[in-house]
Each structure stands twice: as C-alpha cells, then as structure tokens.
Amino acid sequence: MEDIRNLSLSQLEDFIVSNSEKKFRAGQIWQWLWQRGAGSFDEMTNLSVALRTRLAESFTFHRAEIAQEAHSRDKTSKFAFRLWDGKMVEGVLIPSNGRVTACVSSQVGCPLRCTFCATGTMGFIRNLHYSEIVDEYVLMDRRARELYDNGITNIVFMGMGEPLLNFDNVMTAIDKLTDPKGFGLSPTRITLSTAGIIKGIKALADRNFPCGLAVSLHSAEPAVREVLMPVTERNNLHNLQAALQYYYQKTGDRITFEYLLLSKVNDSLQAAEKLARYCRPFPVKINIIEYNETEDGLYHRSYPNQRESFIEYLQNCNMVVSVRQSRGRDIDAACGQLIKNQNR
Ligand code: SAH
C-alpha cells in the first residue's frame, strides 16, 4: 500500500472522484496532511467515517512519533523520532529570546564521516522522506507550544545527515513548510547547512534558493580540511569557492560559514588569514562554533585566548563574526552529538 503523503493533490482528487466523493474532499484531506499536520485518518473529522475508512483501507500513513525526549538545564530539548521502519533520528528545539529554533535531521545517519562528528561514526542508513522531515517539524512545533508557549519560529537543517545528499526530499519538505497554503513559514527563517556538496550548491543556485545557506567550512586549508572532512576529496576547496561565488551571483544572498575551532588544528592566526582570504569573492558571515567533545577524544576545543585572537583577527579584516553558544550539551543535544544507537 502506498503512503497517502506520496500523492499529489491531483492524484488525491482522482482517488476521491473514483470513489464517488465530491472533489473538494481532496482539498480537505490535503489541508489535514500539509497544513494541519494530521497524523492519522481518524483526526480528519470533517470527513465522513465511511471516507476515513476507505482511506485507511487504501493507504498507509507513515507518521513518525516521538520515542524519547530530554530537556536540558538551558531549556534546549532533544527528541528522538521513531520512523515507520523503526529507524531513529533526532531533532532539537532551542528557545532563545522570543524565538524557537528547530534543528532537524535530513538523513538517518550520515555518509560523510567528518572526523569530529558523532553522527558520522554511525554511517549512512537511509534518506528521510519529505513527510518524515515535515513530521519532525509538526511534532516539535506542538511540543514547543507546550514547553515554551511559542511555536517554532526558525528551522535549521543541522541535525543528522547531509541535506544536499537528500536533495529532492529536502526541497519538497521546504516547499511544504513554506507554502502559504501549507505551514506558511517564511523561507528567510529556514537555513540549510551543508558540508559543501558542490553539485547541490549549484542546484540551489539554479532554483534561486529562497532560504539561508550555511556551509560547514572548518578550514580553508586543503590538507587540513581533507583530514577533518573527507568530503573535501571530491568537493575541493577551490571548486567549492567557485560554486559559492556562482550561488552568490544567482541569489545575492550572503553565505554563512560555520567554523569549528579545534585546538592546534585550525585555530592559528595563519588559519584565520587563510579563511579571510578564502572569503574574499563573496560576502560571508563567519559563525564560530565551540567544539563539543565526542567520545573518541580525537580533538579538543580551542583555548579561550586562542579563540579570542582568532576572532579578533577576522574582525580586523572587517568580517562579520558571530559565536554560536553551545546549547544542550548536558543532554547530548549539541552540534555533532546526535547519534542513535538503536539504528542497526
Ligand atoms: N551535514 C551538514 C548538516 C549537519 S550540521 C553540515 O555538515 O553542515 C551539523 C553542524 O554541527 C555542522 O556545522 C557540523 O560541522 C557541526 N558539528 C559537527 N560535530 C560537531 C561537534 N562535535 N561540535 C560542534 N559542532 C559540530
């Protein structure tokens, strides 16, 4: 049986008409699915019981569910979602002065194996379907209203997985989330973060991507970045820069570079200078990220004074620099800590 959320509106209309129902019923079902975030046919209370039964006989409904949640002292909440096949992904809610940012996953596991990231150690299991990404939003939005009296205001694709390696599903999920007749979020409140998949960045440029783009750069030195992020081998820094330049030409949008400061690896002033030079072709914002140590103990966060001089160097080059406060570390909800052992 097919999942009802695989159907387009016109396929849904065909089904409705062939079942001798009025066509507008398809629109009502569509609203339940893509505007109200219903999780079952039973919730669709403006449909007759007979139609709901007919739907349940004809389609499956692969709704994700919250299997576990944890709450940090700093009010960050982490959710483990169980998917229809038992696989698990994680999402995080981060409340901060009037905003609630949801960090969503795009894949179960991740194929990229960045050496500093816990998710990388579990390998790639499968892509999320767009409806599963929407479920992360819908389920966390409900919990956000209960926990913080405020629904989700911003979404970042910074959970598990590489969004540009699940391109179509991520794009469809974003369409559903931003559709004025759907969840109606503003695209400017959504940020996609990539490890730097060149083909995907060009594809975003060509469709004039309306959301924010962040690139996990972490080093502007080829040899260093190759060790940190094996994805660099096929997506080298030089070609990445050209792709970002193309992206900027097409969209006119400033790019955010995420930069994890790792002691004695990428935090020297020479590294800062390389970074500044790398950023010359387009306007950027540098988001400095504090390293959250993972179990293997391979890397350590930079010393505060080293961090300050690194930041100061960039600021003296007139670069826009922000520092991302690490949140939710006590519940392993911080960047790079998302991993689920239940996945086999
Ligand atoms: N694959 C995408 C989306 C994941 S985003 C990407 O690479 O951008 C996850 C963010 O957390 C990335 O910026 C990543 O580099 C960062 N991160 C990974 N491990 C981390 C760790 N141990 N401490 C802090 N940040 C980490």
Side-chain angles (χ1 to χ4, degrees):
M1 268 203 302
E2 175 143 40
D3 192 304
I4 188 159
R5 291 189 291 176
N6 277 331
L7 270 62
S8 65
L9 181 58
S10 68
Q11 287 171 321
L12 207 50
E13 284 169 350
D14 290 347
F15 172 84
I16 286 296
V17 172
S18 68
N19 278 276
S20 326
E21 293 272 354
K22 296 238 161 56
K23 199 169 160 183
F24 78 93
R25 295 285 175 202
Q28 288 181 319
I29 298 171
W30 190 259
Q31 264 185 347
W32 279 111
L33 297 177
W34 301 118
Q35 188 175 41
R36 307 173 76 159
S40 70
F41 299 115
D42 284 340
E43 285 173 49
M44 305 180 179
T45 45
N46 55 0
L47 308 180
S48 68
V49 175
L51 177 54
R52 278 186 258 163
T53 310
R54 187 81 194 92
L55 288 170
E57 287 164 357
S58 315
F59 301 105
T60 55
F61 203 132
H62 284 160
R63 169 53 110 71
E65 58 184 25
I66 296 177
Q68 242 180 326
E69 59 180 88
H71 304 281
S72 161
R73 266 171 277 141
D74 67 18
K75 301 265 187 286
T76 299
S77 300
K78 178 165 87 161
F79 300 86
F81 299 101
R82 188 180 298 113
L83 309 174
W84 64 276
D85 59 353
K87 301 283 182 249
M88 309 280 278
V89 288
E90 295 185 333
V92 182
L93 286 177
I94 309 142
S96 67
N97 37 40
R99 285 199 206 176
V100 179
T101 301
C103 173
V104 299
S105 294
S106 56
Q107 298 181 313
V108 186
C110 183
L112 297 184
R113 299 190 181 278
C114 298
T115 52
F116 48 79
C117 178
T119 304
T121 61
M122 64 187 275
F124 173 67
I125 296 173
R126 71 166 173 85
N127 279 329
L128 290 190
H129 186 263
Y130 60 82
S131 62
E132 295 174 314
I133 298 172
V134 169
D135 279 346
E136 293 182 72
Y137 165 76
V138 168
L139 294 169
M140 286 198 286
D141 185 57
R142 279 187 200 160
R143 290 297 286 128
R145 287 167 204 277
E146 293 162 3
L147 290 164
Y148 315 120
D149 279 331
N150 194 1
I152 290 170
T153 57
N154 296 67
I155 299 181
V156 295
F157 281 83
M158 296 187 188
M160 297 161 88
E162 168 50 50
L164 294 186
L165 292 181
N166 185 14
F167 195 87
D168 292 344
N169 281 306
V170 168
M171 291 306 123
T172 306
I174 290 176
D175 286 345
K176 303 277 186 210
L177 294 168
T178 55
D179 184 348
K181 291 204 185 109
F183 297 100
L185 286 159
S186 161
T188 57
R189 290 176 173 270
I190 299 181
T191 300
L192 184 151
S193 177
T194 176
I197 308 294
I198 290 171
K199 191 170 160 232
I201 291 170
K202 287 187 180 151
L204 289 180
D206 287 332
R207 63 186 359 250
N208 211 344
F209 190 54
C211 307
L213 178 66
V215 177
S216 299
L217 194 68
H218 307 322
S219 174
E221 297 176 82
V224 177
R225 194 172 196 267
E226 269 169 38
V227 172
L228 293 176
M229 306 176 73
V231 67
T232 311
E233 286 159 29
R234 283 157 170 264
N235 297 268
N236 71 48
L237 279 168
H238 181 74
N239 295 343
L240 176 61
Q241 193 182 40
L244 292 171
Q245 203 163 359
Y246 179 70
Y247 182 88
Y248 174 63
Q249 280 163 4
K250 287 273 184 172
T251 63
D253 285 341
R254 180 174 77 173
I255 293 148
T256 298
F257 278 136
E258 295 162 276
Y259 198 101
L260 198 56
L261 280 179
L262 301 169
S263 185
K264 300 193 169 57
V265 174
N266 65 357
D267 64 350
S268 68
L269 292 186
Q270 290 92 304
E273 187 203 332
K274 295 236 165 73
L275 174 61
R277 196 172 307 160
Y278 190 78
C279 296
R280 274 193 201 146
F282 31 71
V284 298
K285 179 176 125 183
I286 306 287
N287 197 190
I288 298 289
I289 310 178
E290 236 184 342
Y291 180 57
N292 296 306
E293 304 196 353
T294 56
E295 268 173 21
D296 54 31
L298 215 50
Y299 301 107
H300 300 283
R301 66 172 53 174
S302 298
Y303 293 106
N305 55 352
Q306 191 64 32
R307 190 176 75 166
E308 291 322 306
S309 8
F310 190 92
I311 293 171
E312 206 177 282
Y313 183 94
L314 297 177
Q315 284 169 338
N316 288 339
C317 300
N318 288 321
M319 298 179 71
V320 183
V321 186
S322 64
V323 178
R324 185 192 294 168
Q325 289 293 336
S326 184
R327 303 273 305 262
R329 213 181 301 153
D330 54 335
I331 53 166
D332 279 350
C335 294
Q337 296 189 313
L338 300 185
I339 183 168
K340 265 279 134 270
N341 298 320
Q342 288 95 322
N343 286 301
R344 269 180 282 268

